[in-house]
Amino acid sequence: MPAMDPENALRRAVEAGLVVRTADPLNAETPISELIASVVTPTARFFVRNHFPMPVLDADTWRLEVGGLVERPLRLGLRELRRMPTMTIAATLECAGNGRALLEPAVPGERWGLGAVSTAEWTGVPLAEILDRAGPRAGAREVLFRGADQGTVEGHAEPIRFERSLSLGEARRPDVVLAYAMNGEPLPVQHGFPVRLVVPGWYAVASVKWLTEIEVIERAFAGHYQGEKYVYETEQHGVLVREPVTLQRVRALLVEPRPDEQVARGELTVRGAAWSGEAPIARVEVSVGEGRWQDARLLDAPDHGWRWWELSTSVDAPGVTTVRARATDRLGHHQPEHPAWNRLGYGNDAIQAVRVNIV
Ligand SMILES: Nc1nc2c(c(=O)[nH]1)N[C@H]1C(S)=C(S)[C@@H](COP(=O)(O)O)O[C@H]1N2
Ligand SMILES: [Mo]
């Protein structure tokens, strides 16, 4: 299968100002300090996370196979999909490894800072529509999504495909979309052309790119990227506890001021975005120095996706100080002071601190 030329992909990422973590496969963060308070991240600046070389699929010959435990197996081309009912939804994708580089002791895996998160408007066919057409049969338990990309991974002799599943119930949620457009344009190759799954609220590993097959299965899927990776592994009372990575944890991202920025005494604007996969954002608070937590103003909320917030405060004492922001969602989930360490380094939702120099 033709793959995207890694050098080309890298050059484009650098030109767009992405923060490259690995060149091949390309893994790159969105430049946080360049983010502006708008719901969507410009597509060229959307973070990129790949496990294998990026497949270049042909729009004319590409087909989506829907099979397994269904009444009516389907084989759909891009044109057919585009003629089906559509939906558009803003959704924030966050890599489960976002913030991994801040964990101590260090853990293996991509060394993400805090920019493995972005938001786009996704347009496509509701997954529920496709599932209804295919008609899951009695005994159907999960829906498995298979990407076109493949490669070899530790512990497996043969190359594997990128695969993930959802329970039938999650797959039928009305906000889950088979997206063929991102911010109003066809999906670019690096984000899954021609069609990807988008599961709003879940860590982005669930949002399978370069989708070619959907299989309804009667078992619980436990492939590499579900049973071996993307699992919170902790030791509790000497016993290894394993929990799958699912919904995004609540988090506030500080965009302004920037790390190590020189800030003039007087008024200080603190700004950023906040999101939670479990419930809408209820509150964002900011603290300067060790000062009290002040409520930030929440800006316009899209139905899904992150919500921008800002606070105007004043700083008087010159010197180095720390600005922190923390979010709470409507179910009362809030952020820990220190990361909840786990062996593979997922879900670091600790309160972010930005050091600034008041002059
Ligand atoms: N087919 C396929 N889908 C994939 C991946 C992948 O490597 N292959 N990576 C997943 C992970 S871990 C993340 S964080 C998101 C990243 O999506 P993006 O590159 O569009 O930002 O895609 C997910 N879907
Ligand atoms: Mo990820």
Side-chain angles (χ1 to χ4, degrees):
M1 178 180 316
M4 194 162 171
D5 172 34
E7 270 177 44
N8 236 328
L10 174 63
R11 182 163 27 80
R12 277 208 256 151
V14 170
E15 279 169 10
L18 295 187
V19 182
V20 175
R21 293 289 167 207
T22 58
D24 188 11
L26 181 65
N27 283 301
E29 300 187 25
T30 193
I32 298 168
S33 54
E34 312 285 317
L35 289 176
I36 44 159
S38 77
V39 173
V40 304
T41 312
T43 302
R45 293 201 165 157
F46 200 101
F47 85 97
V48 178
R49 173 39 169 150
N50 298 309
H51 293 82
F52 301 127
M54 293 184 266
V56 178
L57 302 177
D58 175 44
D60 293 326
T61 57
W62 174 87
R63 294 291 179 273
L64 175 62
E65 311 258 4
V66 185
L69 217 55
V70 295
E71 300 289 349
R72 298 166 292 275
L74 308 172
R75 197 158 186 271
L76 301 163
L78 193 54
R79 248 176 254 131
E80 272 168 290
L81 273 184
R82 286 178 178 280
R83 279 199 299 263
M84 290 175 70
T86 67
M87 63 182 278
T88 294
I89 190 168
T92 296
L93 295 191
E94 181 185 18
C95 181
N98 195 26
R100 180 182 287 130
L102 304 169
L103 293 183
E104 282 171 28
V107 292
E110 297 294 315
R111 308 242 343 126
W112 296 112
L114 292 172
V117 59
S118 304
T119 300
E121 226 171 55
W122 308 96
T123 300
V125 182
L127 175 62
E129 172 79 25
I130 305 277
L131 292 175
D132 283 350
R133 288 194 189 200
R137 295 210 314 252
R141 177 167 171 185
E142 291 194 348
V143 184
L144 181 59
F145 303 90
R146 195 167 291 129
D149 51 334
Q150 58 169 331
T152 46
V153 296
E154 213 191 301
H156 294 252
E158 298 296 317
I160 61 162
R161 301 271 290 272
F162 187 88
E163 298 173 307
R164 288 276 307 184
S165 78
L166 293 173
S167 70
L168 194 54
E170 286 293 325
R172 280 200 154 127
R173 261 173 35 187
D175 58 343
V176 178
V177 57
L178 295 180
Y180 47 69
M182 177 180 185
N183 295 335
E185 303 282 340
L187 282 184
V189 170
Q190 64 272 31
H191 297 297
F193 180 86
V195 172
R196 81 177 301 168
L197 180 67
V198 174
V199 187
W202 279 56
Y203 279 113
V205 66
S207 294
V208 178
K209 305 193 275 188
W210 309 292
L211 193 63
T212 54
E213 283 148 70
I214 297 179
E215 195 184 330
V216 177
I217 57 176
E218 59 191 340
R219 61 182 201 283
F221 176 70
H224 182 68
Y225 293 110
Q226 195 148 334
E228 295 167 11
K229 298 286 174 137
Y230 298 93
V231 175
Y232 297 112
E233 287 189 0
T234 53
E235 216 180 278
Q236 290 170 26
H237 314 292
V239 181
L240 181 66
V241 177
R242 309 181 81 243
E243 286 247 29
V245 164
T246 58
L247 297 175
Q248 296 161 4
R249 293 174 171 173
V250 65
R251 170 178 248 171
L253 174 69
L254 252 163
V255 171
E256 216 186 302
R258 302 168 185 209
D260 296 316
E261 194 175 321
Q262 301 249 353
V263 177
R265 268 185 293 168
E267 188 172 293
L268 172 68
T269 301
V270 186
R271 191 176 282 133
W275 63 95
S276 164
E278 301 185 277
I281 291 296
R283 181 177 202 193
V284 174
E285 297 157 287
V286 172
S287 160
V288 180
E290 290 301 307
R292 69 182 178 88
W293 289 98
Q294 306 174 63
D295 273 304
R297 191 162 62 90
L298 298 180
L299 307 182
D300 288 352
D303 45 354
H304 284 71
W306 60 24
R307 187 156 188 192
W308 283 78
W309 51 267
E310 65 182 25
L311 173 81
S312 225
T313 185
S314 64
V315 287
D316 305 313
V320 172
T321 191
T322 300
V323 182
R324 290 179 298 158
R326 67 181 188 192
T328 308
D329 72 18
R330 284 201 206 143
L331 287 174
H333 297 111
H334 51 92
Q335 303 183 243
E337 292 276 336
H338 303 289
W341 191 92
N342 57 95
R343 284 184 173 184
L344 300 173
Y346 297 122
N348 175 6
D349 60 343
I351 297 170
Q352 183 191 354
V354 168
R355 202 179 56 180
V356 293
N357 190 9
I358 316 276
V359 291

